[in-house]
Amino acid sequence: MSEPLESRFLVANVKIEYPDEDDAGFSVGNTGEYSVERDLPRSPIADGIIDKFRDLQMKKGIWQPPTNDREKRIKKLREDTYQRTNDTLASDNNIVSLQAPTGSGKTLAMLSYAVRLREKIKKEKGFAPRIIYALPFISIAEQVENIVRDIFDIRHKENDALLTVHHSLSELNWHSQGDEYDPKNIRFFIDRWRSDIIITTTVRLCETILGPSKRDSIRFNRLAGSIILMDEVQSFPVKYWDIIGETIKALANNLGCHMLIATATMPAIIRPDEMYSTSVDGGGVNRYEVQYQSKRISLDEFTQEVIAELRDKPSSNVLVVLNTKAAAASAYSEIQKAIDSEDELYFLSGWVAPIHRKQTINQLRISLKSGKRRVILVCTQVIEAGVDVSFDIAFRDLAPLDSIIQVAGRCNRSWEKEKLGIVKVRCVFNSESKRGYAQSVYDEIDLEMTREVLQERDGESYDEEKLRERLSLYFSEIRKRKITNVALKHAICLEWDDLGKTFNLIDRVDTSCKVLIQCDGRSESILDGIRDKLKEKRVWIPSAFYRYTIELSKKQYDALEFEVESVWDHNGHLLFGVIGTEPDTKLYSSDTGFKVPEN
């Protein structure tokens, strides 16, 4: 059982006065011997490095100068976001919130804020704090990693002193002054967040603070005095707003952390009087309109509406977002039969292994940028936040309002079209169960409030500015109607076992089964390595393993019978299954992922 949260903050707070001298950490040498040593010395970061990067992008022509009024407004929006974020440095509040529309350049603005604040603290207090950038989705974390590497010119074999990337799919690399380390030692270094800049997930950050395991809490002292950037905070479920809010305040008040929380749709996690808030309005930017219809329609009716739109607008790029993997796969199959062979059709869901999702997103961006052929993407909520793509038309099954706005942010994103993008929200139900797909994914109170907020213009449209106004009402009503402090009560009462059961940012299903996709030489090498360890009665799962895995329910897995190879540990527990890709098997395609057998 871990120490109480308050005790953790108290112990770490002692290190604030002399962080460079007292921030001791454990180290492991090539001999395998563990020792206590002082933390890595902070690396110098040039003042104004983000400004120089932005100027360089302009000179290289990567960022084109605006040619019309729409592009000028988008440029102004991004400049305003950048400037307003940096202006918050004048505040003496350790908690800053940034609300800015999608596509406004929050990532660069947040990094600039962090680098400038780091330099300010170094001059005033004599130490350079860590920068910890936490994001809800690995796909966004990888995008931010690429941006940071470009800004600081960090190659992928240089990620020790300046940059550590820490999430379930991050590579196990650590290089220091030419030394090479084995995987055990590398994991030790990465787990301890020793670098100047840490890119991680909100799950890892919360596990570090609230998690019961020693492996997570061992890096807790690294938070002391750090600058923590929390992006896309709207992704926190409403039931965790209270505990997340109290945790943010505790980090700021007890550990001397500087917190910047950012989103396009700021939820009511912290009261306005408890933080310094900056909000960037659209400045006349109006990129899309949302058309909501409360009438329930079947998945087949929804798909036929999409197909009719595709035929009616043959040059429009179309995004289709559904709430379940099965519904998305069904819609994809029907759309594939109906479209022209010249169209480019893509699919994304949790049934596509991360290695293939990344490939699809990269190809999707290339296709959209080239504009040679019409692009259609059918997917689940994996597209909602952070994925920098832009479509002309989006279809969205009913979801909470903030999720709808996130999808709308993938529509006419850079205002590249003079005509408004169209976002069509429909209430889709399962013909067999007669139940809405949204009900199987989202809380009914969230959906009820969304319907109430949008009902005013049922069958009509909300433009981007009007919809942002409705969002404030939505969050206000959600806060009134929901009890959000169950996990917080467990933390206050020091009930850490109960907290571990009630606070889970990832919905873990005990009956789920992982399946390794054998699709290339590396996945085969991973499997061989695991089998070799099992012969020694050891379970060894490398991080690269998760790039090649999908998750199925126990029922789905059992239905595969002899079509999947099962790998068991030495105690007879199922570790994971193994399937190949087409043409070796009909169960998985790198383009569309897992295929549910028809029988």
Side-chain angles (χ1 to χ4, degrees):
M1 182 180 296
S2 65
E3 296 176 6
L5 184 60
E6 290 85 349
S7 297
R8 288 194 193 181
F9 287 147
L10 182 60
V11 170
N13 195 38
V14 175
K15 299 182 181 295
I16 296 297
E17 294 298 324
Y18 306 100
D20 284 337
E21 296 182 11
D22 293 336
D23 189 10
F26 293 95
S27 177
V28 59
N30 291 328
T31 61
E33 293 294 321
Y34 289 80
S35 63
V36 176
E37 66 168 25
R38 298 185 181 194
D39 193 21
L40 288 176
R42 301 275 66 84
S43 302
I45 295 179
D47 192 23
I49 191 171
I50 311 295
D51 290 333
K52 292 175 183 177
F53 174 77
R54 296 171 83 231
D55 292 340
L56 186 61
Q57 297 295 92
M58 290 294 292
K59 289 177 182 178
K60 288 181 177 179
I62 297 173
W63 294 349
Q64 298 295 331
T67 59
N68 56 48
D69 182 62
R70 296 191 316 280
E71 292 178 358
K72 288 178 182 177
R73 291 191 185 187
I74 284 289
K75 183 176 185 296
K76 185 178 185 303
L77 170 63
R78 291 169 179 164
E79 290 294 336
D80 286 349
T81 300
Y82 192 77
Q83 189 59 50
R84 292 285 295 277
T85 305
N86 284 303
D87 286 346
T88 63
L89 290 167
S91 168
D92 58 1
N93 195 318
N94 277 23
I95 305 174
V96 174
S97 72
L98 167 65
Q99 181 169 341
T102 56
S104 59
K106 289 194 297 295
T107 299
L108 277 184
M110 294 171 70
L111 287 170
S112 176
Y113 163 88
V115 170
R116 291 170 190 260
L117 179 58
R118 184 181 192 264
E119 187 62 24
K120 178 183 177 183
I121 293 172
K122 184 177 180 181
K123 290 178 180 178
E124 293 177 354
K125 300 184 179 180
F127 72 94
R130 273 186 183 81
I131 297 171
I132 300 172
Y133 201 139
L135 303 113
F137 309 114
I138 290 174
S139 59
I140 319 176
E142 291 177 331
Q143 288 180 196
V144 172
E145 176 191 352
N146 291 334
I147 292 171
V148 169
R149 289 188 183 280
D150 286 343
I151 291 170
F152 295 96
D153 192 25
I154 306 171
R155 295 187 297 273
H156 280 269
K157 287 188 176 181
E158 298 174 350
N159 67 332
D160 48 2
L162 185 57
L163 173 66
T164 288
V165 180
H166 190 212
H167 53 70
S168 62
L169 301 185
S170 54
E171 296 287 348
L172 277 177
N173 293 317
W174 188 277
H175 302 264
S176 179
Q177 299 177 349
D179 294 331
E180 297 289 335
Y181 298 93
D182 64 39
K184 179 181 178 182
N185 294 353
I186 291 171
R187 172 56 66 195
F188 183 91
F189 288 132
I190 291 175
D191 278 350
R192 274 140 190 83
W193 290 5
R194 304 177 80 212
S195 304
D196 288 88
I197 302 173
I198 310 295
I199 297 176
T200 189
T201 59
T202 47
V203 171
R204 282 279 160 90
L205 177 61
C206 289
E207 287 174 345
T208 300
I209 304 164
L210 302 169
S213 77
K214 292 181 180 178
R215 180 172 174 176
D216 292 324
S217 59
I218 195 67
R219 59 179 172 267
F220 183 82
N221 68 313
R222 305 299 190 199
L223 301 177
S226 62
I227 299 167
I228 301 178
L229 312 176
M230 297 179 68
D231 204 354
E232 306 290 356
V233 292
Q234 82 288 336
S235 64
F236 286 114
V238 178
K239 62 183 177 180
Y240 298 143
W241 283 4
D242 281 335
I243 191 169
I244 293 299
E246 291 302 314
T247 299
I248 289 172
K249 288 187 287 185
L251 288 169
N253 298 331
N254 296 84
L255 262 68
C257 298
H258 290 263
M259 310 294 300
L260 173 60
I261 58 176
T263 178
T265 54
M266 185 64 70
I269 292 177
I270 299 176
R271 294 200 320 267
D273 63 325
E274 295 178 313
M275 60 184 175
Y276 181 88
S277 301
T278 186
S279 179
V280 183
D281 62 34
V285 172
N286 201 28
R287 295 165 289 185
Y288 58 78
E289 62 179 21
V290 172
Q291 301 173 355
Y292 167 73
Q293 288 187 2
S294 62
K295 180 184 176 183
R296 297 174 80 240
I297 59 174
S298 67
L299 178 59
D300 182 62
E301 290 172 323
F302 174 81
T303 306
Q304 291 308 311
E305 183 180 354
V306 173
I307 292 171
E309 189 80 7
L310 290 170
R311 289 171 176 166
D312 186 50
K313 296 183 175 63
S315 61
S316 295
N317 296 323
V318 177
L319 170 65
V320 182
V321 184
L322 286 144
N323 286 323
T324 70
K325 295 185 283 288
S330 176
Y332 173 90
S333 178
E334 293 303 311
I335 291 170
Q336 187 178 42
K337 298 172 187 175
I339 62 173
D340 191 280
S341 59
E342 293 298 309
D343 292 334
E344 291 193 45
L345 179 63
Y346 296 93
F347 180 81
L348 287 170
S349 85
W351 278 344
V352 180
I355 187 80
H356 297 135
R357 287 207 300 268
K358 188 173 183 179
Q359 292 170 1
T360 296
I361 290 172
N362 290 339
Q363 186 57 51
L364 177 68
R365 287 198 182 104
I366 293 171
S367 298
L368 286 168
K369 188 174 181 179
S370 73
K372 293 179 180 179
R373 296 195 287 179
R374 190 250 289 277
V375 176
I376 306 161
L377 171 63
V378 181
C379 63
T380 56
Q381 302 91 320
V382 294
I383 201 70
E384 276 187 13
V387 181
D388 191 6
V389 293
S390 182
F391 291 83
D392 303 305
I393 301 169
F395 284 84
R396 179 65 169 103
D397 188 7
L398 180 66
L401 185 59
D402 55 317
S403 295
I404 292 172
I405 291 177
Q406 289 293 329
V407 168
R410 307 320 118 187
C411 198
N412 199 16
R413 184 175 178 83
S414 296
W415 211 359
E416 64 274 16
K417 304 288 185 180
E418 185 173 357
K419 190 176 182 180
L420 290 180
I422 305 297
V423 183
K424 301 190 176 187
V425 179
R426 302 293 183 259
C427 302
V428 187
F429 69 88
N430 186 315
S431 297
E432 295 182 3
S433 67
K434 306 301 180 184
R435 191 167 180 251
Y437 288 101
Q439 275 73 25
S440 63
V441 177
Y442 300 109
D443 190 294
E444 181 55 39
I445 294 179
D446 298 348
L447 298 174
E448 179 186 340
M449 271 311 309
T450 300
R451 286 189 288 261
E452 287 185 20
V453 167
L454 296 180
Q455 190 68 36
E456 180 183 297
R457 296 189 181 182
D458 189 5
E460 300 180 15
S461 299
Y462 288 92
D463 64 21
E464 182 176 359
E465 291 183 303
K466 183 65 175 177
L467 199 61
R468 282 199 296 266
E469 293 174 10
R470 304 300 290 175
L471 185 65
S472 299
L473 173 62
Y474 168 79
F475 279 136
S476 174
E477 290 300 317
I478 286 288
R479 168 62 81 175
K480 290 177 185 177
R481 299 189 189 196
K482 274 201 168 184
I483 298 174
T484 69
N485 59 6
V486 175
L488 178 60
K489 286 180 179 178
H490 290 314
I492 292 173
C493 297
L494 312 183
E495 298 166 346
W496 297 102
D497 289 339
D498 290 330
L499 177 61
K501 296 173 185 176
T502 57
F503 182 72
N504 294 297
L505 291 178
I506 299 176
D507 291 331
R508 304 181 189 276
V509 181
D510 293 337
T511 56
S512 65
C513 301
K514 285 184 170 54
V515 177
L516 175 68
I517 310 300
Q518 288 283 270
C519 58
D520 59 20
R522 188 171 190 194
S523 58
E524 293 171 0
S525 176
I526 290 169
L527 181 59
D528 290 341
I530 293 172
R531 284 172 171 159
D532 288 343
K533 295 297 181 183
L534 288 174
K535 291 176 184 178
E536 304 171 12
K537 294 188 177 181
R538 293 174 56 195
V539 175
W540 174 75
I541 306 293
S543 58
F545 167 86
Y546 299 100
R547 290 185 175 271
Y548 292 89
T549 60
I550 61 172
E551 207 161 274
L552 302 180
S553 68
K554 185 68 164 55
K555 182 179 179 181
Q556 289 168 333
Y557 188 87
D558 291 343
L560 300 179
E561 297 182 349
F562 302 109
E563 296 182 84
V564 61
E565 174 192 356
S566 295
V567 176
W568 310 82
D569 68 11
H570 51 279
N571 292 318
H573 299 134
L574 176 66
L575 290 176
F576 56 87
V578 183
I579 60 176
T581 59
E582 292 182 326
D584 298 328
T585 177
K586 294 181 179 180
L587 291 177
Y588 187 90
S589 163
S590 59
D591 293 329
T592 58
F594 175 69
K595 300 179 179 180
V596 180
E598 294 183 1
N599 59 348

